[in-house]
Amino acid sequence: MVAQDMKAIHDSERTLVMGVLNITEDSFSDGGLWLDPAKAKAHGEAMMKDGADIIDIGAESTRPGAKRVSEEDEKSRVLGAVDALVPEGAILSIDTTRASVASAALEHGAQIINDVSGGRLDAELPHVVADHPESLYIVQHWRGWLAGAAGNVPDADTSVYANGVLNDVYDELMAQVDAVLSVGVKPEQVIIDPGLGFSKPGIEHNLPLLAGLERFNATGHPVLVGASRKRFIGAVLAAAGVSEPTMADRDNATAAISALSAEHGAWAVRVHDVARTRDAIAIGSAWRTYSKQFFLPLMRQ
């Protein structure tokens, strides 16, 4: 895929659907399902058929309490999926915090690096992206790599936001963006992600970020929303009276968030259930289009 194509992806006015392909043993909702290379390829192809614009490949779980896989295991899993899906014409995002994995994946045909540490776990990773100016770089907010974990909730000691979660996440995320730009990553490569669920265990940490999506949009960087199946969704459903929310319940709620994210101009949503999200995005995007056409002009009169 040439650089011009990735510019179109970066600048997309349509909210894109990013399908999750976890090639892991212990991801919280689908760990172990796609470890077999043939199954991973089939699932990636199925998500593309269902409407995924991007496939996000991850080979190391970031769920609370997860243990790191070896660098070689992560690289082997990632490259196996990349080599299987590149010939199918997939646009591939690599969910990794390791420079060596990112570099190898880009050389094999991946186009996007999705770094949940936002460049802070492996200082070489932003340099890899800078050396591949045709690639895109998702910079996510997460304090978990920067401090130790305490108790049964690994992010519990990183989820205190003295100035309010929206203000602190915004300021810290933009500082991360400044840091990656300072080593040569170009502004037109950057996508930002407020990191729902990362150092944000509760409803009170995540809903303000969704409600404040326009503030992130105002930076001029495309915004990725990754709410799919997160703990806070289960908590919202439980608070609304849904007894023991199932994964299907979480997918329904994720689709609602996806529709709202599209209505508020998110660049993409990262989800497990692509087909349900595709339909939700269609509604949210249509809502946004008609709001611009009819209601904004009325408000200016």
Side-chain angles (χ1 to χ4, degrees), residues 30-191:
D30 58 359
L33 293 179
W34 319 117
L35 270 175
D36 178 84
K39 290 182 179 180
K41 179 183 179 184
H43 187 52
E45 291 174 334
M47 287 193 290
M48 293 169 65
K49 185 177 180 180
D50 283 343
D53 299 288
I54 301 166
I55 304 297
D56 188 52
I57 300 170
E60 181 176 57
S61 174
T62 53
R63 68 170 179 80
K67 295 182 179 180
R68 301 213 70 179
V69 302
S70 73
E71 190 169 342
E72 287 308 310
D73 282 349
E74 183 187 0
K75 187 182 297 185
S76 175
R77 293 174 183 179
V78 165
L79 295 184
V82 170
D83 290 343
L85 291 171
V86 163
E88 306 303 318
I91 298 174
L92 300 179
S93 167
I94 307 303
D95 182 351
T96 187
T97 59
R98 287 179 167 131
S100 64
V101 175
S103 179
L106 291 172
E107 293 298 331
H108 279 242
Q111 303 98 336
I112 304 169
I113 299 302
N114 181 9
D115 179 2
V116 297
S117 79
R120 295 190 174 186
L121 182 60
D122 186 339
E124 291 303 312
L125 203 159
H127 292 273
V128 169
V129 176
D131 289 341
H132 292 79
E134 75 287 354
S135 67
L136 303 182
Y137 188 28
I138 299 170
V139 179
Q140 184 194 282
H141 177 271
W142 187 14
R143 294 168 166 178
W145 294 120
L146 307 180
N152 295 323
V153 182
D155 283 350
D157 57 343
T158 64
S159 59
V160 176
Y161 296 91
N163 303 299
V165 65
L166 181 58
N167 290 329
D168 283 354
V169 169
Y170 178 89
D171 290 344
E172 292 168 20
L173 181 56
M174 297 317 297
Q176 290 173 250
V177 170
D178 288 342
V180 303
L181 295 177
S182 73
V183 301
V185 175
K186 297 178 180 179
E188 57 266 30
Q189 292 179 272
V190 172
I191 294 154

Side-chain angles (χ1 to χ4, degrees), residues 15-20 28 56 62 95 114 116 138-141 191-200 206-207 209-210 213 216 222-233 250 253-255 257-258 261-262 266-272 277 281:
T15 298
L16 304 175
V17 179
M18 176 183 285
V20 178
F28 73 96
D56 188 52
T62 53
D95 182 351
N114 181 9
V116 297
I138 299 170
V139 179
Q140 184 194 282
H141 177 271
I191 294 154
I192 58 175
D193 180 348
L196 300 176
F198 289 82
S199 299
K200 307 167 191 77
N206 294 280
L207 266 295
L209 300 178
L210 289 168
L213 187 59
F216 295 100
V223 181
L224 173 65
V225 173
S228 187
R229 299 179 177 176
K230 294 287 175 69
R231 279 181 298 171
F232 81 90
I233 292 178
R250 291 194 188 194
T254 297
I257 291 173
S258 295
S261 296
W267 169 75
V269 292
R270 181 183 182 274
V271 298
H272 297 81
T277 297
I281 290 290

